[in-house]
Amino acid sequence: MTGRLLRPRLGVVGGLGPLATADFYRKTIDAVPAENDADHISMAILSVPQIPDRSGAIREGSDKPLPWLIEAIDMLNSLDVEIIAIACNTAHHWYDALSAASRAEIIHIADAAIGELHRRYEGNRAAVMATRGTLRSGFYQKRLREAGFDCRNPIGPAFQHAVDDAILQVKLGELRQARLACAAAFELCRQDGSEAAILACTELPIAAEEVVPEGMLVIDASLALALTCIQRLRDPDRRRNIAM
Amino acid sequence: MTGRLLRPRLGVVGGLGPLATADFYRKTIDAVPAENDADHISMAILSVPQIPDRSGAIREGSDKPLPWLIEAIDMLNSLDVEIIAIACNTAHHWYDALSAASRAEIIHIADAAIGELHRRYEGNRAAVMATRGTLRSGFYQKRLREAGFDCRNPIGPAFQHAVDDAILQVKLGELRQARLACAAAFELCRQDGSEAAILACTELPIAAEEVVPEGMLVIDASLALALTCIQRLRDPDRRRNIAM
């Protein structure tokens, strides 16, 4: 339904997992310099953690989550949102199908993250910290190569094991364990000579808090997506403000 | 629209302000002992900070926010939610009109908070820390009296000034200032002989972090509402599990 008075401008497909979406929501709030409530961007957040496991589906070559994701996109379009963010990197495996099903433009999280990397990073070697499904899908590696970056993923089995563990521990709400696993992954990145890493799973920013090694540039894909969405809504004329 | 696969079970009217809703969302997540994403409750959160100032309207005798609130309730009902939470105490001034307009039951935040106070507090004197609009509306005082509590609000002008400031500073994102103001309000409560206080504005739990004096029982109305909603959805037969 379309409201007469209220219109949620940003639609969010979330709950994948819920803590990651709470983190994304918080980032959209912090991104707006507000004097009062009304300065903030109106949003509709669907937190629907029942959507089947994305990473597992990609690895099995299945599209099982797709009808659920399309339904979430439909619900947000029914509320007449202007743009949509999907607060889950792995779900972007189905970006093309979801975009085709959506009236509102879906902002791609990897475009947002790599745009941010491009602006802030002089080097050319970057690690992608992501689920195995996101890596198998390859949309980060493809965009990194197109933007001129050297990307070897996974760096090694110990690295991916640490990343997997950090993601799992956030989903379990075990934040101390998550931080330890994330710190181990950063250390392996550094040993491999990567001076930059992309937190390409929305659980990871929660794990990365306080454990980023000095001298390493860490791009938070959730934050990049939040900033890109807010910028787009505050300045709709700059549609392609994602430096690539 | 009603989904075939997805159904957000809990609808949230939020954004009043956004940080308070992010806090409420986080509390609904923490309230569920989850082994994986799918154990969490599905939700639809409308974060619509453009709804006109509730406290000011009550004090002016105006119903200006009501059509906006009804529209938010309509949107959540259009998504077929089972129950609705309004993550703003002051907006409960219009609870009866909103309930009448909603198919889904709206869980009253003051019922949740006072139920929690009743379970945890042996004494009979409690302070209500709320906006001036919430106090003018009187729904907390009425429920406290009905539950046998002695409630004098505001305790004094300095107390209400500190509460107002704590709320304002959270809305401005100035969390250090907010904590100082909240600590001052708690101290005035204690000087007045109140051993219990209800944080009856959803901004206040953010300000109260780390500054609750020893020996004071503080009931967080946001947390009580989150717990009541989760309990209701996990155990729908216990409809009236709010001890009063």
Side-chain angles (χ1 to χ4, degrees), chain B:
Chain B
M1 67 164 272
T2 306
R4 291 166 301 114
L5 297 167
L6 290 179
R7 183 184 178 189
R9 301 187 67 198
L10 171 60
V12 179
V13 179
L16 316 167
L19 273 186
T21 298
D23 177 66
F24 175 77
Y25 180 32
R26 180 67 189 251
K27 281 167 177 159
T28 64
I29 299 166
D30 292 344
V32 176
E35 292 284 311
N36 54 54
D37 287 356
D39 292 339
H40 285 282
I41 297 289
S42 57
M43 301 170 62
I45 302 169
L46 282 181
S47 183
V48 279
Q50 287 70 32
I51 295 179
D53 175 42
R54 286 71 57 197
S55 185
I58 295 169
R59 291 156 65 200
E60 291 162 12
S62 151
D63 288 326
K64 193 173 172 200
L66 183 56
W68 300 67
L69 289 165
I70 286 180
E71 206 170 281
I73 296 288
D74 283 349
M75 278 190 188
L76 293 172
N77 275 296
S78 80
L79 298 177
D80 203 25
V81 299
E82 291 175 46
I83 60 173
I84 290 175
I86 304 173
C88 168
N89 285 269
T90 316
H92 285 73
H93 175 67
W94 294 278
Y95 178 81
D96 291 345
L98 295 172
S99 269
S102 182
R103 184 195 46 70
E105 185 190 359
I106 305 173
I107 309 294
H108 199 302
I109 195 168
D111 286 342
I114 295 169
E116 185 74 11
L117 180 70
H118 198 272
R119 274 189 291 279
R120 293 177 53 194
Y121 186 45
E122 296 289 319
N124 76 337
R125 191 158 176 185
V128 179
M129 295 171 67
T131 63
R132 289 170 194 260
T134 295
L135 295 176
R136 174 75 66 90
S137 179
F139 58 85
Y140 263 101
Q141 298 94 315
K142 176 173 176 288
R143 282 169 167 77
L144 281 166
R145 279 192 301 272
E146 286 169 359
F149 292 100
D150 172 18
C151 162
R152 292 191 304 123
N153 270 95
I155 288 170
F159 169 76
Q160 190 57 38
H161 180 78
V163 171
D164 290 348
D165 193 35
I167 296 168
L168 175 68
Q169 297 299 337
V170 172
K171 285 187 187 287
L172 293 174
E174 300 288 346
L175 301 191
R176 208 178 65 83
Q177 288 301 317
R179 288 194 187 105
L180 289 173
C182 201
F186 284 139
E187 183 53 35
L188 290 164
C189 267
R190 204 155 60 167
Q191 285 174 19
D192 190 64
S194 282
E195 297 152 55
I198 301 176
L199 303 176
C201 171
T202 51
E203 321 288 340
L204 287 174
I206 300 159
E209 270 172 27
E210 301 162 30
V211 298
V212 174
E214 211 168 316
M216 179 172 254
L217 176 68
V218 173
I219 300 293
D220 173 349
S222 285
L223 177 59
L225 180 62
L227 293 173
T228 302
C229 289
I230 296 297
Q231 187 180 50
R232 179 72 61 87
L233 290 170
R234 288 165 69 94
D235 187 5
D237 293 337
R238 294 170 70 192
R239 283 179 59 85
R240 283 292 161 211
N241 207 339
I242 312 163
M244 288 276 306

Side-chain angles (χ1 to χ4, degrees), chain A residues 46-165:
Chain A
L46 282 181
S47 183
V48 280
Q50 289 69 33
I51 294 179
D53 174 41
R54 285 71 57 199
S55 185
I58 294 169
R59 290 156 66 201
E60 292 162 12
S62 151
D63 287 328
K64 195 173 171 199
L66 182 57
W68 301 68
L69 289 165
I70 286 181
E71 207 169 281
I73 296 289
D74 283 348
M75 278 191 190
L76 293 173
N77 276 295
S78 80
L79 297 176
D80 203 26
V81 299
E82 291 175 45
I83 60 173
I84 290 175
I86 304 174
C88 168
N89 286 267
T90 316
H92 285 72
H93 175 67
W94 294 278
Y95 178 83
D96 291 345
L98 296 173
S99 268
S102 182
R103 183 195 46 69
E105 184 190 0
I106 305 174
I107 308 294
H108 199 302
I109 194 168
D111 286 343
I114 295 170
E116 185 73 12
L117 181 70
H118 198 272
R119 276 188 291 278
R120 293 176 54 194
Y121 186 45
E122 296 290 319
N124 76 338
R125 190 155 175 187
V128 179
M129 295 170 66
T131 63
R132 289 170 193 258
T134 296
L135 295 176
R136 175 76 66 90
S137 178
F139 58 85
Y140 264 100
Q141 297 95 314
K142 176 174 177 288
R143 282 169 167 76
L144 280 167
R145 279 192 300 271
E146 287 170 358
F149 291 102
D150 172 19
C151 161
R152 292 191 305 124
N153 268 100
I155 288 171
F159 170 76
Q160 189 57 37
H161 180 78
V163 172
D164 290 347
D165 193 36

